[in-house]
């Protein structure tokens, strides 16, 4: 038997849904809904299963995204994407790794649902405008305009310097050692003066409700963490296609993702919401 196209392209479909939603749990729900619709289709009439399935997933993700947008307005504190444990192989596809990075996903959160869908399908998956038009229910001309606006919006907000994974790992290692030992000066040395730290506790665990700005303030907050917990453990892992940290504060897990520019940290993303930390033990397959 030949493999069902949905199964064959599942990693791609999950990646589309995840990049549109920033949530693995919601992406899985979208895939389940898409599978039910695919099951009702006469597969013999589908000439390009991959494109057809991406259209189904996009429509379901758009429906889910509109609902989530309202729900996130009531979210307690800052909302961050759900971190995924990935293999180092994901980083070999630079465009894919960048598209699922915390930095990019947080920028995508500032787009409207259709803008986000168009950007993901065009810039990441390189779909023709006609196919994107079918997936989003817009005209090809409207999709072209939306793609241009979304590109400009993202370009103005994404990190401007692309660093190698080896440089990212070196900075991460320095940061994790400084965090584990609570040495303020070492933390200050590895952070840019205008660093910003954003934490997501979802109202379930302790986390700052607003971003923390400046190395002096961020450094003191991080150094104090070593003093107020009995045990602080750090492990370097690959999250969302990049070197990152898995941290335990008295056994409570957190995921830490960094943005590095010119050898120093400019953004620190800390996910502590336990509902978003369920995929840190099993690898997630991403593809495009």
């Amino acid at each position: 038997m030949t493999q069902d196209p949905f199964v064959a392209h599942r990693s791609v479909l999950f990646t589309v849904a995840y990049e549109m939603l920033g949530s693995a749990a919601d992406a899985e729900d979208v895939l389940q809904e898409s599978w039910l619709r695919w099951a009702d289709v006469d597969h013999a009439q589908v000439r390009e299963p991959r494109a057809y399935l991406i259209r189904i997933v996009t429509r379901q993700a758009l429906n889910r995204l509109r609902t989530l947008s309202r729900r996130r307005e009531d979210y307690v504190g800052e909302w961050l994407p759900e971190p995924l444990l990935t293999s180092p192989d994901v980083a070999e596809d630079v465009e894919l790794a960048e598209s699922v990075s915390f930095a990019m996903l947080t920028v995508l959160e500032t787009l409207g649902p259709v803008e986000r869908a168009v950007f993901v399908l065009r810039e990441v998956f390189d779909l023709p405008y006609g196919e994107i038009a079918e997936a989003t229910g817009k005209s090809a001309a409207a999709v072209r305009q939306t793609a241009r606006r979304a590109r400009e919006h993202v370009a103005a907000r994404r990190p401007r310097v692309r660093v190698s994974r080896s440089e990212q790992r070196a900075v991460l290692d320095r940061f994790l050692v400084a965090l584990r030992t609570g040495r303020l000066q070492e933390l200050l040395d590895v952070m840019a003066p205008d660093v910003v730290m954003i934490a997501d506790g979802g109202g379930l665990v302790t986390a700052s409700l607003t971003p923390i700005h400046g190395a002096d303030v961020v450094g003191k907050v991080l150094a104090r963490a070593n003093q107020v917990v009995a045990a602080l453990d750090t492990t370097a892992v690959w999250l969302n296609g990049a070197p990152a940290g898995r941290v335990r504060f008295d056994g409570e897990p957190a995921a830490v993702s960094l943005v590095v520019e010119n050898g120093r940290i400019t953004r620190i993303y800390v996910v502590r919401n336990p509902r978003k930390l369920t995929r840190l033990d099993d690898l997630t397959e991403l593809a495009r």
Side-chain angles (χ1 to χ4, degrees):
M1 291 181 60
T2 57
Q3 190 176 33
D4 186 290
F6 192 98
V7 177
H9 297 298
R10 192 184 191 286
S11 294
V12 173
L13 301 177
F14 175 85
T15 306
V16 171
Y18 175 72
E19 291 200 21
M20 286 185 60
L21 301 168
S23 164
D26 288 306
E28 292 288 3
D29 287 344
V30 162
L31 259 60
Q32 180 64 30
E33 294 161 1
S34 300
W35 165 258
L36 295 175
R37 282 159 177 75
W38 171 248
D40 289 336
V41 171
D42 181 357
H43 299 175
Q45 300 301 313
V46 179
R47 289 184 298 176
E48 299 182 8
R50 181 180 182 275
Y52 189 92
L53 287 166
I54 287 177
R55 289 200 296 271
I56 294 178
V57 167
T58 298
R59 291 174 190 142
Q60 297 308 311
L62 275 172
N63 292 337
R64 178 63 62 101
L65 190 56
R66 294 183 179 108
T67 301
L68 291 176
S69 296
R70 293 189 291 271
R71 190 189 308 169
R72 287 173 188 170
E73 292 176 1
D74 300 323
Y75 194 79
V76 178
E78 296 291 316
W79 186 95
L80 289 176
E82 184 177 348
L84 304 177
L85 184 68
T86 55
S87 73
D89 294 344
V90 173
E92 294 180 6
D93 185 337
V94 175
E95 297 298 331
L96 174 61
E98 183 178 18
S99 71
V100 297
S101 69
F102 263 65
M104 177 60 77
L105 291 173
T106 54
V107 171
L108 293 183
E109 279 294 307
T110 64
L111 293 172
V114 173
E115 284 182 317
R116 185 167 183 168
V118 169
F119 181 87
V120 168
L121 296 180
R122 181 62 184 173
E123 299 301 313
V124 182
F125 293 90
D126 198 29
L127 262 63
Y129 289 112
E131 288 187 19
I132 300 174
E134 288 187 50
T136 59
K138 306 293 182 181
S139 69
V143 165
R144 286 180 182 274
Q145 291 181 338
T146 300
R148 177 182 53 78
R149 288 197 306 271
R151 250 191 326 268
E152 292 173 352
H153 181 97
V154 171
R157 292 163 177 80
R158 76 201 310 176
R160 303 185 187 281
V161 180
R162 180 177 288 174
V163 301
S164 67
R165 295 310 175 197
S166 58
E167 181 182 352
Q168 179 94 9
R169 178 60 190 267
V171 173
L172 170 71
D173 289 343
R174 289 176 59 199
F175 172 79
L176 292 180
V177 169
L179 179 64
R180 191 166 58 247
T181 58
R183 293 171 182 162
L184 177 58
Q185 188 56 52
E186 291 184 11
L187 286 166
L188 295 176
D189 289 343
V190 79
M191 295 187 296
D194 59 350
V195 65
V196 178
M197 183 169 72
I198 302 171
D200 177 347
L204 301 176
V205 297
T206 303
S208 174
L209 298 179
T210 57
I212 302 174
H213 296 261
D216 288 342
V217 181
V218 173
K220 289 175 182 176
V221 170
L222 294 175
R224 190 163 59 244
N226 176 270
Q227 301 167 6
V228 299
V229 300
L232 196 162
D233 301 310
T234 64
T235 306
V237 293
W238 285 81
L239 299 179
N240 293 58
R246 184 160 51 189
V247 181
R248 287 187 175 276
F249 302 93
D250 283 340
E252 292 186 2
V256 179
S257 179
L258 309 175
V259 174
V260 176
E261 297 182 42
N262 299 318
R264 304 183 86 177
I265 300 167
T266 57
R267 288 287 186 278
I268 304 172
Y269 301 105
V270 183
V271 180
R272 298 200 66 199
N273 184 342
R275 294 175 181 170
K276 295 184 177 182
L277 300 173
T278 60
R279 300 179 73 103
L280 297 185
D281 293 318
D282 298 314
L283 287 176
T284 297
E285 297 293 332
L286 301 173
R288 66 179 183 133

